[in-house]
Amino acid sequence: EAQVTQNPRYLITVTGKKLTVTCSQNMNHEYMSWYRQDPGLGLRQIYYSMNVEVTDKGDVPEGYKVSRKEKRNFPLILESPSPNQTSLYFCASSFQNPRGPSSEFFGPGTRLTVL
Amino acid sequence: EDKVVQSPLSLVVHEGDTVTLNCSYEVTNFRSLLWYKQEKKAPTFLFMLTSSGIEKKSGRLSSILDKKELFSILNITATQTGDSAVYLCAVGVNNNDMRFGAGTRLTVKP
């Protein structure tokens, strides 16, 4: 089954404790991205990657890191989480075309709470 | 600064009604516009639009893009309770950034 998986689905942590949210896709997509979703603000792109070893900042990259060592995986790293990073996080992937990413497949979401 | 604005923010209709959702944008280097439906979980893809004036259609849903006036509309005819969701508009900009609007929450009452 074609899918994007994220782990963990729910996480409660404390300020300053490094964490990683994993994302994996099995569709051989070139493009992967991370979003956060907050009430009233919609989805905001954190980072995206057009292919292995190619990553770029999105709209709200501060406080986050990513890596793309393999095509299928795109982990999101919070080196020192803060309460303002409490949010619902989505990973997404799609094929790349000259117009940019095509329809993105979204993962199920990770609800993160930073105390 | 890139902006994607959806209206209305919230809409309540009855089954059988027709609704029109709006998405206007001001972005640098427009690449594409996408519509998604988000129920309780992750967004699911509806349409991708890149050319003005060409209607995309899927069942009771249709969408069109106007690149001159910088907006898109999503129409849903003969609404059903299963259409209740948040509808998201996203615009692809620059190289490969995506900018989402805040969404329109549609509630369809029986």
Side-chain angles (χ1 to χ4, degrees):
Chain A
E1 182 192 348
Q3 59 182 352
V4 178
T5 56
Q6 295 177 227
N7 280 294
R9 297 288 312 281
Y10 301 90
L11 178 60
I12 301 174
T13 188
V14 295
T15 299
K17 188 175 181 182
K18 180 179 178 180
L19 66 93
T20 299
V21 184
T22 64
C23 172
S24 183
Q25 50 93 7
N26 62 0
M27 296 167 278
N28 203 33
H29 286 161
E30 299 91 2
Y31 185 90
M32 296 186 75
S33 58
W34 276 102
Y35 297 90
R36 60 178 290 174
Q37 187 172 36
D38 303 288
L41 295 176
L43 282 157
R44 291 180 293 168
Q45 193 174 45
I46 302 170
Y47 269 95
Y48 62 91
S49 168
M50 289 187 282
N51 217 322
V52 176
E53 301 292 1
V54 181
T55 63
D56 262 305
K57 295 177 180 178
D59 207 17
V60 288
E62 294 78 22
Y64 304 94
K65 283 173 60 176
V66 293
S67 69
R68 187 94 182 269
K69 294 187 171 62
E70 305 162 286
K71 197 171 187 179
R72 62 183 295 128
N73 296 323
F74 190 44
L76 179 70
I77 302 153
L78 284 72
E79 294 270 3
S80 183
S82 61
N84 65 13
Q85 292 178 298
T86 293
S87 188
L88 177 60
Y89 291 86
F90 287 104
C91 177
S93 73
S94 75
F95 288 114
Q96 189 72 3
N97 65 58
R99 282 282 191 175
S102 58
S103 60
E104 290 190 90
F105 285 81
F106 281 79
T110 294
R111 188 165 290 283
L112 172 66
T113 302
V114 183
L115 302 174
Chain B
E1 184 186 337
D2 296 329
K3 282 198 304 188
V4 180
V5 179
Q6 292 186 245
S7 63
L9 289 180
S10 182
L11 188 56
V12 180
V13 300
H14 287 95
E15 271 192 318
D17 288 350
T18 293
V19 297
T20 298
L21 310 183
N22 301 289
C23 175
S24 65
Y25 60 91
E26 287 180 38
V27 300
T28 51
N29 196 13
F30 172 91
R31 305 291 294 272
S32 59
L33 187 144
L34 295 88
W35 284 97
Y36 290 87
K37 177 183 182 181
Q38 186 176 25
E39 295 171 270
K40 290 185 179 172
K41 300 180 271 187
T44 54
F45 171 76
L46 295 174
F47 298 111
M48 179 176 177
L49 304 156
T50 55
S51 301
S52 266
I54 299 174
E55 185 184 52
K56 294 272 182 102
K57 202 168 166 62
S58 176
R60 295 176 295 103
L61 277 67
S62 64
S63 183
I64 198 160
L65 173 67
D66 185 329
K67 289 168 78 173
K68 184 179 175 188
E69 299 297 331
L70 308 182
F71 76 93
S72 173
I73 59 171
L74 174 68
N75 277 322
I76 309 175
T77 59
T79 51
Q80 303 169 357
T81 54
D83 294 327
S84 295
V86 175
Y87 289 84
L88 299 168
C89 169
V91 176
V93 302
N94 299 325
N95 289 327
N96 289 284
D97 298 38
M98 297 298 292
R99 296 284 183 267
F100 277 77
T104 293
R105 181 174 294 280
L106 173 65
T107 303
V108 181
K109 293 191 169 183

